[in-house]
Amino acid sequence: QSVLTQPPSASGTPGQRVTISCSGSSSNIGSNTVNWYQQLPGTAPKLLIYTNNQRPSGVPDRFSGSKSGTSASLAISGLQSEDEADYYCAGWDGSLKGVVFGGGTKLTVL
Amino acid sequence: EVQLVESGGGLVQPGGSLGLSCAASGFTFSSYEMSWVRQAPGKGLEWLSYISSSGDSIYYADSVKGRFTISRDNAKNSLYLQMNSLRVEDTAVYYCAREGSSYGTYFEYWGHGTLLTVSS
């Protein structure tokens, strides 16, 4: 059972906008920044969003992140087939003194 | 170009030991915090351990505390993970990851991973 809670699956059709939620607590999301990682099948994770809403160079602006209180969200607009992947939220937990991940959300592009 | 290359994975019997290495290049290794993250087959990501740029600050996940030891050699641009008392549930792909440059704890770069299988 993961410290951060994500829905196990999400889906959308090409061109749609989808959101993936990430729920935590005051010791992690509530007091620290949230990051999102994308893991394409058979590959290593890749940083998608850092510090709640910042995109690394090369990440399309179709991807956006937000945080409110003890929850965060990843939004993907203009969904494309290549967005089919697993998405993980993560952040520092001050009580556990470590990084905590969500369980991951498998995104299917229908 | 930032590169992180893990090595040392393989097949180990339960109760055995193994050491992983991560060779870093393309950046000033001694300036960055590093972590190990693993992924069991078909499962999600699990953070294992963090080490500061100088090595004087270290954290572990409860699941590996007392069994795994993280270390680094800044002169050799290398990160290590010594794993003892291995269990079947330690079977996973092990990634080394470099922290980002901006505020917050996030993994900007990842290696390709090395597979550890613990089985009799």
Side-chain angles (χ1 to χ4, degrees):
Chain A
Q1 193 163 344
S2 303
V3 174
L4 304 182
T5 301
Q6 297 179 236
S9 63
S11 63
T13 56
Q16 264 191 334
R17 181 178 187 270
V18 297
T19 62
I20 298 172
S21 62
C22 176
S23 177
S25 68
S26 58
S27 64
N28 41 67
I29 294 179
S31 53
N32 295 290
T33 58
V34 178
N35 313 296
W36 292 88
Y37 301 92
Q38 177 192 58
Q39 188 174 32
L40 297 171
T43 69
K46 167 193 165 185
L47 179 65
L48 195 64
I49 297 288
Y50 67 98
T51 315
N52 302 328
N53 54 19
Q54 301 299 300
R55 281 187 313 277
S57 173
V59 173
D61 58 7
R62 301 187 295 105
F63 295 91
S64 62
S66 63
K67 180 185 118 169
S68 178
T70 59
S71 294
S73 290
L74 172 70
I76 309 172
S77 60
L79 198 62
Q80 298 180 4
S81 58
E82 55 260 42
D83 298 334
E84 195 159 278
D86 293 325
Y87 293 85
Y88 296 89
C89 60
W92 182 262
D93 189 297
S95 294
L96 297 175
K97 292 287 193 293
V99 174
V100 291
F101 282 94
T105 299
K106 184 175 184 62
L107 175 63
T108 300
V109 181
L110 302 169
Chain B
E1 178 195 5
V2 171
Q3 283 200 323
L4 299 170
V5 180
E6 302 94 338
S7 61
L11 175 63
V12 179
Q13 290 190 333
S17 299
L18 198 68
L20 303 182
S21 299
C22 171
S25 61
F27 65 100
T28 305
F29 180 71
S30 59
S31 297
Y32 287 89
E33 301 151 315
M34 301 290 295
S35 280
W36 286 97
V37 178
R38 71 182 177 186
Q39 185 170 35
K43 302 296 185 183
L45 301 172
E46 178 187 16
W47 170 83
L48 301 178
S49 184
Y50 155 98
I51 187 167
S52 63
S53 57
S54 64
D56 58 1
S57 182
I58 287 173
Y59 297 106
Y60 295 99
D62 287 345
S63 59
V64 303
K65 199 174 296 182
R67 299 189 301 125
F68 289 13
T69 302
I70 192 172
S71 62
R72 65 190 297 160
D73 186 334
N74 286 342
K76 294 184 177 180
N77 292 336
S78 293
L79 175 72
Y80 307 101
L81 186 68
Q82 178 62 38
M83 304 179 293
N84 300 326
S85 303
L86 284 164
R87 306 166 179 166
V88 171
E89 54 265 35
D90 292 321
T91 295
V93 174
Y94 285 71
Y95 297 101
C96 68
R98 197 203 84 174
E99 295 272 349
S101 308
S102 299
Y103 174 77
T105 301
Y106 60 95
F107 306 127
E108 187 172 12
Y109 293 97
W110 297 67
H112 58 82
T114 187
L115 175 63
L116 167 68
T117 301
V118 183
S119 174
S120 54

PDB file of all heavy atoms in Angstrom, chain A residues 28-59:
ATOM      1  N   ASN A  28       3.578  14.893   3.639  1.00  0.00           N
ATOM      2  CA  ASN A  28       4.217  14.794   2.319  1.00  0.00           C
ATOM      3  C   ASN A  28       3.702  15.909   1.396  1.00  0.00           C
ATOM      4  O   ASN A  28       4.268  17.009   1.372  1.00  0.00           O
ATOM      5  CB  ASN A  28       4.058  13.408   1.705  1.00  0.00           C
ATOM      6  CG  ASN A  28       2.672  12.801   1.898  1.00  0.00           C
ATOM      7  OD1 ASN A  28       1.689  13.286   1.355  1.00  0.00           O
ATOM      8  ND2 ASN A  28       2.604  11.741   2.699  1.00  0.00           N
ATOM      9  N   ILE A  29       2.640  15.670   0.677  1.00  0.00           N
ATOM     10  CA  ILE A  29       2.155  16.688  -0.269  1.00  0.00           C
ATOM     11  C   ILE A  29       1.809  17.991   0.443  1.00  0.00           C
ATOM     12  O   ILE A  29       2.045  19.084  -0.071  1.00  0.00           O
ATOM     13  CB  ILE A  29       0.944  16.151  -1.054  1.00  0.00           C
ATOM     14  CG1 ILE A  29       1.356  14.989  -1.948  1.00  0.00           C
ATOM     15  CG2 ILE A  29       0.324  17.274  -1.891  1.00  0.00           C
ATOM     16  CD1 ILE A  29       0.224  14.373  -2.752  1.00  0.00           C
ATOM     17  N   GLY A  30       1.262  17.865   1.627  1.00  0.00           N
ATOM     18  CA  GLY A  30       0.830  19.053   2.354  1.00  0.00           C
ATOM     19  C   GLY A  30       1.947  20.000   2.740  1.00  0.00           C
ATOM     20  O   GLY A  30       1.693  21.188   2.994  1.00  0.00           O
ATOM     21  N   SER A  31       3.173  19.525   2.795  1.00  0.00           N
ATOM     22  CA  SER A  31       4.273  20.373   3.227  1.00  0.00           C
ATOM     23  C   SER A  31       5.488  20.321   2.318  1.00  0.00           C
ATOM     24  O   SER A  31       6.510  20.963   2.606  1.00  0.00           O
ATOM     25  CB  SER A  31       4.693  19.980   4.654  1.00  0.00           C
ATOM     26  OG  SER A  31       4.955  18.591   4.736  1.00  0.00           O
ATOM     27  N   ASN A  32       5.398  19.576   1.236  1.00  0.00           N
ATOM     28  CA  ASN A  32       6.516  19.482   0.293  1.00  0.00           C
ATOM     29  C   ASN A  32       6.009  19.494  -1.150  1.00  0.00           C
ATOM     30  O   ASN A  32       4.813  19.321  -1.394  1.00  0.00           O
ATOM     31  CB  ASN A  32       7.321  18.205   0.556  1.00  0.00           C
ATOM     32  CG  ASN A  32       7.991  18.229   1.920  1.00  0.00           C
ATOM     33  OD1 ASN A  32       8.928  18.979   2.158  1.00  0.00           O
ATOM     34  ND2 ASN A  32       7.490  17.391   2.820  1.00  0.00           N
ATOM     35  N   THR A  33       6.945  19.647  -2.070  1.00  0.00           N
ATOM     36  CA  THR A  33       6.552  19.717  -3.477  1.00  0.00           C
ATOM     37  C   THR A  33       6.272  18.323  -4.038  1.00  0.00           C
ATOM     38  O   THR A  33       6.711  17.312  -3.499  1.00  0.00           O
ATOM     39  CB  THR A  33       7.649  20.391  -4.313  1.00  0.00           C
ATOM     40  OG1 THR A  33       8.864  19.649  -4.157  1.00  0.00           O
ATOM     41  CG2 THR A  33       7.865  21.823  -3.855  1.00  0.00           C
ATOM     42  N   VAL A  34       5.530  18.325  -5.140  1.00  0.00           N
ATOM     43  CA  VAL A  34       5.121  17.069  -5.788  1.00  0.00           C
ATOM     44  C   VAL A  34       5.763  16.969  -7.169  1.00  0.00           C
ATOM     45  O   VAL A  34       5.911  17.976  -7.877  1.00  0.00           O
ATOM     46  CB  VAL A  34       3.590  17.008  -5.929  1.00  0.00           C
ATOM     47  CG1 VAL A  34       3.169  15.720  -6.658  1.00  0.00           C
ATOM     48  CG2 VAL A  34       2.931  17.082  -4.561  1.00  0.00           C
ATOM     49  N   ASN A  35       6.133  15.769  -7.522  1.00  0.00           N
ATOM     50  CA  ASN A  35       6.744  15.513  -8.815  1.00  0.00           C
ATOM     51  C   ASN A  35       5.995  14.373  -9.506  1.00  0.00           C
ATOM     52  O   ASN A  35       5.384  13.529  -8.849  1.00  0.00           O
ATOM     53  CB  ASN A  35       8.215  15.133  -8.634  1.00  0.00           C
ATOM     54  CG  ASN A  35       8.919  16.083  -7.680  1.00  0.00           C
ATOM     55  OD1 ASN A  35       9.048  17.262  -7.950  1.00  0.00           O
ATOM     56  ND2 ASN A  35       9.344  15.556  -6.534  1.00  0.00           N
ATOM     57  N   TRP A  36       6.070  14.363 -10.818  1.00  0.00           N
ATOM     58  CA  TRP A  36       5.415  13.325 -11.603  1.00  0.00           C
ATOM     59  C   TRP A  36       6.419  12.688 -12.553  1.00  0.00           C
ATOM     60  O   TRP A  36       7.254  13.378 -13.141  1.00  0.00           O
ATOM     61  CB  TRP A  36       4.265  13.909 -12.405  1.00  0.00           C
ATOM     62  CG  TRP A  36       3.109  14.367 -11.566  1.00  0.00           C
ATOM     63  CD1 TRP A  36       2.951  15.599 -11.005  1.00  0.00           C
ATOM     64  CD2 TRP A  36       1.958  13.593 -11.201  1.00  0.00           C
ATOM     65  NE1 TRP A  36       1.761  15.639 -10.296  1.00  0.00           N
ATOM     66  CE2 TRP A  36       1.137  14.424 -10.412  1.00  0.00           C
ATOM     67  CE3 TRP A  36       1.534  12.294 -11.462  1.00  0.00           C
ATOM     68  CZ2 TRP A  36      -0.087  13.998  -9.883  1.00  0.00           C
ATOM     69  CZ3 TRP A  36       0.327  11.863 -10.949  1.00  0.00           C
ATOM     70  CH2 TRP A  36      -0.470  12.699 -10.170  1.00  0.00           C
ATOM     71  N   TYR A  37       6.309  11.381 -12.689  1.00  0.00           N
ATOM     72  CA  TYR A  37       7.185  10.621 -13.569  1.00  0.00           C
ATOM     73  C   TYR A  37       6.341   9.825 -14.553  1.00  0.00           C
ATOM     74  O   TYR A  37       5.273   9.307 -14.206  1.00  0.00           O
ATOM     75  CB  TYR A  37       8.082   9.681 -12.759  1.00  0.00           C
ATOM     76  CG  TYR A  37       8.941  10.411 -11.760  1.00  0.00           C
ATOM     77  CD1 TYR A  37       8.500  10.612 -10.461  1.00  0.00           C
ATOM     78  CD2 TYR A  37      10.167  10.947 -12.137  1.00  0.00           C
ATOM     79  CE1 TYR A  37       9.261  11.317  -9.550  1.00  0.00           C
ATOM     80  CE2 TYR A  37      10.939  11.654 -11.228  1.00  0.00           C
ATOM     81  CZ  TYR A  37      10.476  11.838  -9.941  1.00  0.00           C
ATOM     82  OH  TYR A  37      11.247  12.547  -9.050  1.00  0.00           O
ATOM     83  N   GLN A  38       6.848   9.719 -15.755  1.00  0.00           N
ATOM     84  CA  GLN A  38       6.214   8.924 -16.799  1.00  0.00           C
ATOM     85  C   GLN A  38       7.104   7.719 -17.078  1.00  0.00           C
ATOM     86  O   GLN A  38       8.326   7.861 -17.232  1.00  0.00           O
ATOM     87  CB  GLN A  38       6.072   9.756 -18.075  1.00  0.00           C
ATOM     88  CG  GLN A  38       5.482   9.000 -19.257  1.00  0.00           C
ATOM     89  CD  GLN A  38       5.648   9.782 -20.560  1.00  0.00           C
ATOM     90  OE1 GLN A  38       6.757  10.116 -20.954  1.00  0.00           O
ATOM     91  NE2 GLN A  38       4.534  10.075 -21.209  1.00  0.00           N
ATOM     92  N   GLN A  39       6.506   6.546 -17.127  1.00  0.00           N
ATOM     93  CA  GLN A  39       7.272   5.343 -17.456  1.00  0.00           C
ATOM     94  C   GLN A  39       6.617   4.644 -18.633  1.00  0.00           C
ATOM     95  O   GLN A  39       5.548   4.034 -18.492  1.00  0.00           O
ATOM     96  CB  GLN A  39       7.378   4.398 -16.267  1.00  0.00           C
ATOM     97  CG  GLN A  39       8.335   3.234 -16.521  1.00  0.00           C
ATOM     98  CD  GLN A  39       8.546   2.373 -15.290  1.00  0.00           C
ATOM     99  OE1 GLN A  39       7.662   2.213 -14.457  1.00  0.00           O
ATOM    100  NE2 GLN A  39       9.742   1.800 -15.162  1.00  0.00           N
ATOM    101  N   LEU A  40       7.253   4.762 -19.778  1.00  0.00           N
ATOM    102  CA  LEU A  40       6.781   4.059 -20.961  1.00  0.00           C
ATOM    103  C   LEU A  40       7.097   2.577 -20.810  1.00  0.00           C
ATOM    104  O   LEU A  40       8.046   2.210 -20.102  1.00  0.00           O
ATOM    105  CB  LEU A  40       7.455   4.631 -22.208  1.00  0.00           C
ATOM    106  CG  LEU A  40       7.153   6.105 -22.504  1.00  0.00           C
ATOM    107  CD1 LEU A  40       8.043   6.617 -23.617  1.00  0.00           C
ATOM    108  CD2 LEU A  40       5.687   6.297 -22.839  1.00  0.00           C
ATOM    109  N   PRO A  41       6.349   1.721 -21.460  1.00  0.00           N
ATOM    110  CA  PRO A  41       6.555   0.271 -21.310  1.00  0.00           C
ATOM    111  C   PRO A  41       8.001  -0.143 -21.567  1.00  0.00           C
ATOM    112  O   PRO A  41       8.590   0.230 -22.590  1.00  0.00           O
ATOM    113  CB  PRO A  41       5.612  -0.316 -22.358  1.00  0.00           C
ATOM    114  CG  PRO A  41       4.525   0.702 -22.503  1.00  0.00           C
ATOM    115  CD  PRO A  41       5.200   2.020 -22.346  1.00  0.00           C
ATOM    116  N   GLY A  42       8.574  -0.877 -20.624  1.00  0.00           N
ATOM    117  CA  GLY A  42       9.911  -1.416 -20.794  1.00  0.00           C
ATOM    118  C   GLY A  42      11.049  -0.425 -20.658  1.00  0.00           C
ATOM    119  O   GLY A  42      12.194  -0.749 -20.995  1.00  0.00           O
ATOM    120  N   THR A  43      10.754   0.768 -20.160  1.00  0.00           N
ATOM    121  CA  THR A  43      11.811   1.772 -20.040  1.00  0.00           C
ATOM    122  C   THR A  43      11.913   2.297 -18.611  1.00  0.00           C
ATOM    123  O   THR A  43      11.043   2.045 -17.779  1.00  0.00           O
ATOM    124  CB  THR A  43      11.565   2.958 -20.982  1.00  0.00           C
ATOM    125  OG1 THR A  43      10.427   3.702 -20.517  1.00  0.00           O
ATOM    126  CG2 THR A  43      11.323   2.492 -22.410  1.00  0.00           C
ATOM    127  N   ALA A  44      12.985   3.045 -18.348  1.00  0.00           N
ATOM    128  CA  ALA A  44      13.158   3.667 -17.042  1.00  0.00           C
ATOM    129  C   ALA A  44      12.203   4.851 -16.896  1.00  0.00           C
ATOM    130  O   ALA A  44      11.768   5.436 -17.898  1.00  0.00           O
ATOM    131  CB  ALA A  44      14.602   4.151 -16.888  1.00  0.00           C
ATOM    132  N   PRO A  45      11.850   5.199 -15.675  1.00  0.00           N
ATOM    133  CA  PRO A  45      11.002   6.380 -15.467  1.00  0.00           C
ATOM    134  C   PRO A  45      11.684   7.631 -15.996  1.00  0.00           C
ATOM    135  O   PRO A  45      12.918   7.714 -16.075  1.00  0.00           O
ATOM    136  CB  PRO A  45      10.849   6.428 -13.940  1.00  0.00           C
ATOM    137  CG  PRO A  45      11.132   5.050 -13.480  1.00  0.00           C
ATOM    138  CD  PRO A  45      12.177   4.523 -14.411  1.00  0.00           C
ATOM    139  N   LYS A  46      10.852   8.620 -16.326  1.00  0.00           N
ATOM    140  CA  LYS A  46      11.328   9.895 -16.835  1.00  0.00           C
ATOM    141  C   LYS A  46      10.617  11.002 -16.068  1.00  0.00           C
ATOM    142  O   LYS A  46       9.404  10.925 -15.834  1.00  0.00           O
ATOM    143  CB  LYS A  46      11.019  10.002 -18.329  1.00  0.00           C
ATOM    144  CG  LYS A  46      11.182  11.382 -18.937  1.00  0.00           C
ATOM    145  CD  LYS A  46      10.551  11.424 -20.324  1.00  0.00           C
ATOM    146  CE  LYS A  46      10.359  12.834 -20.815  1.00  0.00           C
ATOM    147  NZ  LYS A  46       9.641  12.895 -22.107  1.00  0.00           N
ATOM    148  N   LEU A  47      11.372  12.026 -15.672  1.00  0.00           N
ATOM    149  CA  LEU A  47      10.760  13.152 -14.971  1.00  0.00           C
ATOM    150  C   LEU A  47       9.830  13.913 -15.909  1.00  0.00           C
ATOM    151  O   LEU A  47      10.235  14.331 -16.990  1.00  0.00           O
ATOM    152  CB  LEU A  47      11.854  14.088 -14.440  1.00  0.00           C
ATOM    153  CG  LEU A  47      11.372  15.331 -13.697  1.00  0.00           C
ATOM    154  CD1 LEU A  47      10.649  14.943 -12.401  1.00  0.00           C
ATOM    155  CD2 LEU A  47      12.550  16.261 -13.405  1.00  0.00           C
ATOM    156  N   LEU A  48       8.603  14.117 -15.455  1.00  0.00           N
ATOM    157  CA  LEU A  48       7.597  14.778 -16.279  1.00  0.00           C
ATOM    158  C   LEU A  48       7.247  16.173 -15.744  1.00  0.00           C
ATOM    159  O   LEU A  48       7.133  17.132 -16.504  1.00  0.00           O
ATOM    160  CB  LEU A  48       6.333  13.916 -16.311  1.00  0.00           C
ATOM    161  CG  LEU A  48       5.294  14.208 -17.370  1.00  0.00           C
ATOM    162  CD1 LEU A  48       5.840  13.955 -18.764  1.00  0.00           C
ATOM    163  CD2 LEU A  48       4.064  13.319 -17.113  1.00  0.00           C
ATOM    164  N   ILE A  49       7.053  16.250 -14.441  1.00  0.00           N
ATOM    165  CA  ILE A  49       6.719  17.500 -13.759  1.00  0.00           C
ATOM    166  C   ILE A  49       7.498  17.523 -12.438  1.00  0.00           C
ATOM    167  O   ILE A  49       7.519  16.517 -11.733  1.00  0.00           O
ATOM    168  CB  ILE A  49       5.215  17.608 -13.442  1.00  0.00           C
ATOM    169  CG1 ILE A  49       4.377  17.632 -14.714  1.00  0.00           C
ATOM    170  CG2 ILE A  49       4.924  18.836 -12.565  1.00  0.00           C
ATOM    171  CD1 ILE A  49       4.458  18.917 -15.514  1.00  0.00           C
ATOM    172  N   TYR A  50       8.112  18.663 -12.108  1.00  0.00           N
ATOM    173  CA  TYR A  50       8.779  18.794 -10.825  1.00  0.00           C
ATOM    174  C   TYR A  50       8.315  20.061 -10.114  1.00  0.00           C
ATOM    175  O   TYR A  50       7.776  20.973 -10.750  1.00  0.00           O
ATOM    176  CB  TYR A  50      10.304  18.768 -10.988  1.00  0.00           C
ATOM    177  CG  TYR A  50      10.893  19.953 -11.718  1.00  0.00           C
ATOM    178  CD1 TYR A  50      11.444  21.027 -11.012  1.00  0.00           C
ATOM    179  CD2 TYR A  50      10.903  20.003 -13.108  1.00  0.00           C
ATOM    180  CE1 TYR A  50      11.985  22.100 -11.675  1.00  0.00           C
ATOM    181  CE2 TYR A  50      11.445  21.080 -13.778  1.00  0.00           C
ATOM    182  CZ  TYR A  50      11.993  22.130 -13.061  1.00  0.00           C
ATOM    183  OH  TYR A  50      12.524  23.208 -13.722  1.00  0.00           O
ATOM    184  N   THR A  51       8.524  20.067  -8.820  1.00  0.00           N
ATOM    185  CA  THR A  51       8.134  21.208  -7.986  1.00  0.00           C
ATOM    186  C   THR A  51       6.703  21.646  -8.294  1.00  0.00           C
ATOM    187  O   THR A  51       6.426  22.808  -8.586  1.00  0.00           O
ATOM    188  CB  THR A  51       9.122  22.380  -8.181  1.00  0.00           C
ATOM    189  OG1 THR A  51      10.460  21.896  -8.148  1.00  0.00           O
ATOM    190  CG2 THR A  51       8.971  23.406  -7.077  1.00  0.00           C
ATOM    191  N   ASN A  52       5.834  20.693  -8.261  1.00  0.00           N
ATOM    192  CA  ASN A  52       4.371  20.877  -8.418  1.00  0.00           C
ATOM    193  C   ASN A  52       3.917  21.119  -9.853  1.00  0.00           C
ATOM    194  O   ASN A  52       2.939  20.525 -10.300  1.00  0.00           O
ATOM    195  CB  ASN A  52       3.856  22.028  -7.542  1.00  0.00           C
ATOM    196  CG  ASN A  52       4.149  21.836  -6.074  1.00  0.00           C
ATOM    197  OD1 ASN A  52       4.180  20.710  -5.588  1.00  0.00           O
ATOM    198  ND2 ASN A  52       4.385  22.931  -5.372  1.00  0.00           N
ATOM    199  N   ASN A  53       4.599  22.032 -10.561  1.00  0.00           N
ATOM    200  CA  ASN A  53       4.040  22.434 -11.853  1.00  0.00           C
ATOM    201  C   ASN A  53       5.085  22.839 -12.889  1.00  0.00           C
ATOM    202  O   ASN A  53       4.750  23.481 -13.887  1.00  0.00           O
ATOM    203  CB  ASN A  53       3.066  23.600 -11.649  1.00  0.00           C
ATOM    204  CG  ASN A  53       3.700  24.756 -10.903  1.00  0.00           C
ATOM    205  OD1 ASN A  53       4.923  24.865 -10.833  1.00  0.00           O
ATOM    206  ND2 ASN A  53       2.886  25.617 -10.323  1.00  0.00           N
ATOM    207  N   GLN A  54       6.324  22.468 -12.666  1.00  0.00           N
ATOM    208  CA  GLN A  54       7.389  22.833 -13.594  1.00  0.00           C
ATOM    209  C   GLN A  54       7.677  21.700 -14.567  1.00  0.00           C
ATOM    210  O   GLN A  54       7.757  20.537 -14.177  1.00  0.00           O
ATOM    211  CB  GLN A  54       8.664  23.193 -12.817  1.00  0.00           C
ATOM    212  CG  GLN A  54       8.479  24.337 -11.835  1.00  0.00           C
ATOM    213  CD  GLN A  54       8.058  25.600 -12.526  1.00  0.00           C
ATOM    214  OE1 GLN A  54       8.761  26.128 -13.397  1.00  0.00           O
ATOM    215  NE2 GLN A  54       6.891  26.124 -12.150  1.00  0.00           N
ATOM    216  N   ARG A  55       7.834  22.062 -15.824  1.00  0.00           N
ATOM    217  CA  ARG A  55       8.148  21.056 -16.840  1.00  0.00           C
ATOM    218  C   ARG A  55       9.621  21.103 -17.195  1.00  0.00           C
ATOM    219  O   ARG A  55      10.155  22.180 -17.504  1.00  0.00           O
ATOM    220  CB  ARG A  55       7.340  21.304 -18.119  1.00  0.00           C
ATOM    221  CG  ARG A  55       5.916  20.843 -18.091  1.00  0.00           C
ATOM    222  CD  ARG A  55       5.296  20.985 -19.477  1.00  0.00           C
ATOM    223  NE  ARG A  55       5.576  22.283 -20.076  1.00  0.00           N
ATOM    224  CZ  ARG A  55       4.890  23.376 -19.834  1.00  0.00           C
ATOM    225  NH1 ARG A  55       3.866  23.315 -19.016  1.00  0.00           N
ATOM    226  NH2 ARG A  55       5.225  24.530 -20.407  1.00  0.00           N
ATOM    227  N   PRO A  56      10.289  19.950 -17.167  1.00  0.00           N
ATOM    228  CA  PRO A  56      11.687  19.921 -17.634  1.00  0.00           C
ATOM    229  C   PRO A  56      11.730  20.258 -19.121  1.00  0.00           C
ATOM    230  O   PRO A  56      10.729  20.100 -19.839  1.00  0.00           O
ATOM    231  CB  PRO A  56      12.114  18.478 -17.391  1.00  0.00           C
ATOM    232  CG  PRO A  56      11.131  17.926 -16.418  1.00  0.00           C
ATOM    233  CD  PRO A  56       9.856  18.648 -16.678  1.00  0.00           C
ATOM    234  N   SER A  57      12.880  20.692 -19.559  1.00  0.00           N
ATOM    235  CA  SER A  57      13.063  20.976 -20.975  1.00  0.00           C
ATOM    236  C   SER A  57      12.725  19.736 -21.796  1.00  0.00           C
ATOM    237  O   SER A  57      13.142  18.624 -21.473  1.00  0.00           O
ATOM    238  CB  SER A  57      14.523  21.387 -21.213  1.00  0.00           C
ATOM    239  OG  SER A  57      14.788  21.523 -22.576  1.00  0.00           O
ATOM    240  N   GLY A  58      11.946  19.939 -22.844  1.00  0.00           N
ATOM    241  CA  GLY A  58      11.598  18.836 -23.732  1.00  0.00           C
ATOM    242  C   GLY A  58      10.247  18.202 -23.462  1.00  0.00           C
ATOM    243  O   GLY A  58       9.741  17.444 -24.294  1.00  0.00           O
ATOM    244  N   VAL A  59       9.677  18.494 -22.299  1.00  0.00           N
ATOM    245  CA  VAL A  59       8.345  17.957 -21.991  1.00  0.00           C
ATOM    246  C   VAL A  59       7.296  18.889 -22.594  1.00  0.00           C
ATOM    247  O   VAL A  59       7.297  20.090 -22.313  1.00  0.00           O
ATOM    248  CB  VAL A  59       8.133  17.829 -20.474  1.00  0.00           C
ATOM    249  CG1 VAL A  59       6.675  17.432 -20.172  1.00  0.00           C
ATOM    250  CG2 VAL A  59       9.078  16.786 -19.898  1.00  0.00           C
TER     251      VAL A  59
END
